[in-house]
């Protein structure tokens, strides 16, 4: 660093070469988020206050010990200036020179290592690494830093620069302890000498700075950063007030999770689950609601990277002192540290929900009804937490009352010996499922079936694959391996035998039905499962359930990939038995009846059929019935 003395008190000095380059970029860049300069200066002020607090405990004597620890913002709309003052640790002559004339901090060091690789005019670099104090030059044509150290022997100095290569340092006696930075704003940056703008920026970035930030004598940052306190220090009211602030909410949260950890990461976290799910209330997709802080200073609002997308219903704060303050959005996305925080907090949230399900089951169900869809989304989209999330799933089943939920673990507990798989079936409602063909065989064997009532459910089940080493199997799958019905007596069996067609007859009938239906089905089979309904469609390969197929078709995916269906017919059913006879008498009408049976079965599977054909056909059958 070269220096040349003008007067004994005023020295003109050159910035370190790296600082010159940086200032050149800062001043000439078109970086859009210029307002972060205020966050940088306020965070420096807060650091200086924190350092002072620390020193004042250790030192015998500090200068201006009575001055309150605070940050003051003043502005002059006419003169176009903005002043940020603090009563912090201050800087003596040497510190002013070293701290503001060279690249001191880690953020700008990284900036430099990147700068040599990239184009010097690369605007984004500012956003990527932050430029700390030098950010002031994005909005100011001249910066004055008056500072006086806490040490008793300092007199006070003024550092002055227009950012063009040099700065001066002069004596400035008679000032108070701390630092006062005055920005002479450029014409384009006039807006920052405006009260409303200043207020907004401070509220956005610096609400939780632990020292009062005063504007016109009034502290703007009135909300305490309660996540940094111990639980016992926080009242219920304070939690509720904080929630309203951070979530922009009017009501109280359903519940909260407040924890801190030192290893493997230093994090302090306060998360809330709201009462309502606005996503299901037609307000569109929810934005993530957790903010990332470093030592109470905002790094990223509504961060998309700090938690998985499927936890976007959470509101609150994650604070990690391990994060560099100057980190940018782009750098955050690539940060291994952020990925680590994400993992630690996600696991903690899942554990919290599991505990809540045990200790407060009613509250958990309230949560589940509102936010269960997000956990299902997690099961589908996030392999890493699938096992933990699966424990949190809840469904109705054939063994629960209407509207009552069970977990997969409870289902497994109830499984009788010999049952190896977990069965589920999708339907639009409990009634529809219970009156449909698919659960007949299960009812008879007293095997529990989970009811998946939401379109997303079968995707979740299929992604999950198994639970507690038991395969999850949809009841609309072909060739289910079910044990013999336990209640069947010899007499029952005989009756069923006598009612059913003989093997030959049934083979002829199924063969003919396959001919009638053609490519619409893979096979027509005499069912071993059906007892009451005449027919049902099943999926022989069992990978895609009918409910999934319906959704995939609706989203425009081709039919060929679904591998075809089997039609199972109940050969003891009067309709099917009658059909064999009708076929001999009137082949044409019998064929229409077959088509109609198939369409009915498709409807019961929740799959759309072409209504025009179906209606015309059913009229033909009805005409025949009334004797035309
Ligand atoms: P960082 O805050 O990351 O260290 P900055 O560029 O923001 O980097 O600031 C550089 C240095 O200048 C700080 O580390 C600090 O030593 C000093 N400094 C800046 N502002 C103040 C202030 N208001 N009071 C005391 N020292 C300050
Ligand atoms: Mg800083």
């Amino acid at each position: 660093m070269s220096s040349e003395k003008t007067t004994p008190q005023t020295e003109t000095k050159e910035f370190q070469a790296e600082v010159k380059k940086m200032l050149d970029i800062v001043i000439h860049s078109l970086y859009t988020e210029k307002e972060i300069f205020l966050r940088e200066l306020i965070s420096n002020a807060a650091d200086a206050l924190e350092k002072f607090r620390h020193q004042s405990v250790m030192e015998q004597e500090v200068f201006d010990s009575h001055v309150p620890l605070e940050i003051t913002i003043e502005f002059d709309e006419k003169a176009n200036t903005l002043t940020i003052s603090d009563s912090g640790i201050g800087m003596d002559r040497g510190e002013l020179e070293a701290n503001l004339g060279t690249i001191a901090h880690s953020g700008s060091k990284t900036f430099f290592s990147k700068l040599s690789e990239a184009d010097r005019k690369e605007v984004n670099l500012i956003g990527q690494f932050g430029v700390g104090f030098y950010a002031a030059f994005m909005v100011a044509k001249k910066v004055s830093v008056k500072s006086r150290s806490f040490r008793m022997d300092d007199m006070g100095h003024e550092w002055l620069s227009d950012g063009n290569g040099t700065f001066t340092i002069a004596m400035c006696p008679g000032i108070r302890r701390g630092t006062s930075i005055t920005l002479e704003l450029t014409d384009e940056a006039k807006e920052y000498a405006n009260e409303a703008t200043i207020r907004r920026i401070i509220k956005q970035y610096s609400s939780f700075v632990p020292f009062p930030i005063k504007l016109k004598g009034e502290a703007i940052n009135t909300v305490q950063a309660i996540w940094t306190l111990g639980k016992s220090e926080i009242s219920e009211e304070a939690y509720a007030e904080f929630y309203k602030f951070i979530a922009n909410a009017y009501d109280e949260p359903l519940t909260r999770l407040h924890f801190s950890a030192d290893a493997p990461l230093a994090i302090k976290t306060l998360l809330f689950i709201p009462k309502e799910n606005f996503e299901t209330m037609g307000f569109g997709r929810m934005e993530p609601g957790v903010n990332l802080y470093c030592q109470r200073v905002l790094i990223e609002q509504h961060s998309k990277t700090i938690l998985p997308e499927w936890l976007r219903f959470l509101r609150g704060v994650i604070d990690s002192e391990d994060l560099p303050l100057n980190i940018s959005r782009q750098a955050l996305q690539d940060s291994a540290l952020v990925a680590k925080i994400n993992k630690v907090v996600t696991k903690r949230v899942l554990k919290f929900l599991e505990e809540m399900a045990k200790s407060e089951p009613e509250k958990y169900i309230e949560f589940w009804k509102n936010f269960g869809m997000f956990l299902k989304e997690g099961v589908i989209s996030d392999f890493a937490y699938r096992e933990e999330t699966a424990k949190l799933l809840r469904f109705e089943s054939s063994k629960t009352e209407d509207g009552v939920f069970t977990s997969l673990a409870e289902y497994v507990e109830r499984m009788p010996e010999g049952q190896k798989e977990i069965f589920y079936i999708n339907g639009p409602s409990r009634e529809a499922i219970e009156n449909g063909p698919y659960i007949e065989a299960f009812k008879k064997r007293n095997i529990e079936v989970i009811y998946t009532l939401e379109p997303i459910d079968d995707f979740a089940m299929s992604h999950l694959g198994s639970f507690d080493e038991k395969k999850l199997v949809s009841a609309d799958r072909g060739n289910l391996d079910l044990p013999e019905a336990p209640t069947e007596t010899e007499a029952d069996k005989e009756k069923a035998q006598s009612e059913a067609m003989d093997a030959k007859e049934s083979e002829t009938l199924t063969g003919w039905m396959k001919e009638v239906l053609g490519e619409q089905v893979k096979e027509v089979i005499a069912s071993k499962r059906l007892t009451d309904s005449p027919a049902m469609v099943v999926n022989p390969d069992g990978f895609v359930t009918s409910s999934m197929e319906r959704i995939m078709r609706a989203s425009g995916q081709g039919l060929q990939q679904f591998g075809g269906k089997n039609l199972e017919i109940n050969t003891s059913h009067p309709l099917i038995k009658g059909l064999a006879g009708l076929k001999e008498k009137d082949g044409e009408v019998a064929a229409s009846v077959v088509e109609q049976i198939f369409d009915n079965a498709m409807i019961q599977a929740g799959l759309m059929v072409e209504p025009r054909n179906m209606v015309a056909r059913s009229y033909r059958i009805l005409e025949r019935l009334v004797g035309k």
Side-chain angles (χ1 to χ4, degrees), residues 495-497 499-501 527 530-531 569-577:
K495 188 166 166 260
Q497 284 283 282
E499 278 175 2
M501 303 175 182
S527 178
L530 289 172
T531 52
I569 54 167
N570 177 358
T571 53
S572 318
H573 196 281
L575 174 62
I576 300 298
K577 290 202 307 203

Side-chain angles (χ1 to χ4, degrees), residues 39-45 47 105 131-133 325-326:
R39 176 192 73 174
E40 296 295 324
L41 297 181
I42 288 176
S43 91
N44 283 351
D47 286 351
H105 67 296
V131 286
F133 168 75
L325 179 59
N326 286 320

